[in-house]
Amino acid sequence: MSFLSLDSGNTPQTISSNINIKDTNGNTITPHYVKIINSRLAESCTFNATIPIDTTYTEIPFFENGNSVDIFAKATPAGSGSATSEDKIFSGKIDRSVFNPPKRILSLSGRDWSSSLINYEISGESFLNMTASDALAYLASKVGLSADIDTTSGFIGQFYQYEHKAHALSGMHRYQTAWDLCVGMQNEYGYDLWVENKTLYFKKKQENGNIINLEWTSQKPGSNIYQRAILDINLSNNQIYSEGIYVKISSWDARQKIIHSAQYPENISSGQVFNFTAPVGTTTDQCKNLAQQRYTDIMAHGKNVELHLHPYLNISTRQLVKLSGTGTSFDSIVYTVDQVIIEYSAKSISKKAILRPR
C-alpha cells in the first residue's frame, strides 16, 4: 500500500507501507485489513484484523494457541530502496478469533494490555495507607505490567472511625476491577490514564506548550486534495451543553456526621444540574476540585471535531491541537485528541481523529 509523507521541503512524497502482525514466537503474518482505535477515554484501545490463511499452514496462527499480538508498520520512501525500522503501532491481547475454512480467512479482535486490569477482580484487595499512585503501581505489578506514574498525595483507603477499624477497606471499596479503581483515581485527580505496550501510565495532563496547529483550507479547482493535512472535517455543535449546566459533588463525613458538598460554576442556581457522589471522607475543597473536573468533562462534549487526516500526519491521543480556517467559533480553541482511528488495507490507509476541548 502507499500513502504520502512530508520530506524536508514539506512536499508530500509517496511511501510504501507494510503492516505485519507478530505472535509470541516472532512469526510474521501479513493481514488483508487492520483497524486500530486508540483512545484517551476510560476504555481500552482496540484492534480488528483480517488475515489470509494459506493451506500450507500446519497450525492456524492466533486461533487456538496464543492470545497476545503485536502489530508493526514499516515505511519505505519512494526511490530510496531502503525501508525504515518497524514501528510498533499496537500491542495487546486477542479476545476473539473466528476462522472461516472455505475462504481461509481468520478474523481477530482484541484490546490493549489495559485488558489485564479490566479482567482483574480486586474484591479481596486492601489499599489502606496507600496513595493513588501506590495503589496503581501495586495493581500494575499484580497483572504483570510496569508503571510510569506521577506521584499523588493523600491516602485512598482510609475509612473513618468504626468503618476503618472493622473493615480496613478490604471488600468494602466501591471498585470491582483494577481498571475501575484506575479510572476512579483518574476522575479524582484529573490525570491522564492509559496503557501502552505493557506499561501503565498515570500522568499529569500536559500544559498548553506543545500545540499542533492545523489549518483547514477549502479545495480549489484543480488542486490536489492529498496535499493538505486535513482531507475533510466535521464540526458538531451540541446545543444541549449550554451555559445553564452546573455540577454538584457531595460526600459523607462519617466522623462529623455531616455532608460536604460543592458546585461548579458557583454562580448558577437554576438550569440542568448533574449530581455526583464522592468517596466517604472527601473534603469540601476536594469536592470543589471534583466539581470543576466533572464540569469540564461534560462541557467538552459541546464541541466535537472529526478530522479525516492525511496519513503522513503523525498525531496521537492526548496531543493538543488548535484549528484555524473554518470561519466558525471552533477556530483558535485548544482541543485534546480523544481518539485516533487508523485503517489499513491492501490498497489504502486512512486516519481519523476525534477532538474535544478539554
Side-chain angles (χ1 to χ4, degrees), residues 21 33 40 46 66 175 188 244 254 267 301 335 338 345 356:
I21 298 178
Y33 170 82
R40 68 166 296 277
T46 63
Y175 304 110
E188 183 168 344
N267 59 345
H301 292 271
Y335 300 90
D338 275 354
S345 70
R356 296 185 179 95

Side-chain angles (χ1 to χ4, degrees), residues 39-43 45 88 91 112-115 117 132-141 143-152 178-179 181-187 189-206 316-318:
S39 175
R40 68 166 296 277
L41 307 177
E43 60 187 3
C45 299
K88 185 185 293 187
S91 179
D112 66 14
W113 290 102
S114 63
S115 57
L117 294 162
S133 51
D134 292 337
L136 267 62
Y138 167 77
L139 290 173
S141 66
V143 299
L145 302 179
S146 59
D148 186 349
I149 294 173
D150 286 345
T151 303
T152 62
W179 187 249
L181 188 142
C182 292
V183 173
M185 295 303 99
Q186 177 193 26
N187 291 333
Y189 288 90
Y191 285 18
D192 273 328
L193 169 72
W194 75 98
V195 175
E196 186 174 343
N197 291 323
K198 287 191 175 183
T199 301
L200 171 65
Y201 293 89
F202 187 64
K203 311 291 288 184
K204 294 179 181 178
K205 292 183 178 179
Q206 59 179 317
S316 59
T317 53
R318 291 171 296 279

Side-chain angles (χ1 to χ4, degrees), residues 262-290:
Q263 79 167 54
Y264 187 88
E266 297 179 0
N267 59 345
I268 296 180
S269 57
S270 63
Q272 184 177 359
V273 59
F274 289 81
N275 289 293
F276 297 97
T277 301
V280 173
T282 303
T283 66
T284 301
D285 287 339
Q286 289 174 325
C287 284
K288 290 180 180 178
N289 291 334
L290 287 173

